[in-house]
Amino acid sequence: MTKLLNTAQAAEYLGIKYNTLNQWRYLKRGPRFSKVGAAVRYSINDLENYLEQNTRTSTTRQGLRTY
């Protein structure tokens, strides 16, 4: 069974602010989440997948020439 984290725990896990995670959810960005009644929960697997999908090797946009 996957452990579920609340928003504060998930934000700490990602190293971001609580309010950032709330904004991402509102803007339909960020990691996947589940609703259990009124409670928002994040699985560690979804947080790890989000981090993996957003791993970059450069700060420039892909395909953008910088000359």
Side-chain angles (χ1 to χ4, degrees):
M1 179 181 228
T2 301
K3 181 177 179 181
L4 298 177
L5 305 178
N6 64 31
T7 303
Q9 294 167 323
E12 183 177 340
Y13 185 88
L14 294 173
I16 61 173
K17 293 182 179 182
Y18 175 89
N19 286 335
T20 300
L21 202 48
N22 284 336
Q23 280 187 321
W24 286 355
R25 199 170 54 248
Y26 175 77
L27 296 171
K28 299 179 181 174
R29 298 178 52 191
R32 291 173 33 152
F33 63 92
S34 299
K35 293 279 284 198
V36 181
V40 174
R41 296 293 182 254
Y42 295 86
S43 78
I44 291 180
N45 289 340
D46 286 339
L47 296 176
E48 289 177 354
N49 287 338
Y50 177 77
L51 290 173
E52 182 66 30
Q53 291 171 0
N54 288 282
T55 299
R56 303 285 188 258
T57 58
S58 173
T59 57
T60 61
R61 289 191 214 169
Q62 188 173 4
L64 203 61
R65 293 186 183 197
T66 57
Y67 55 92

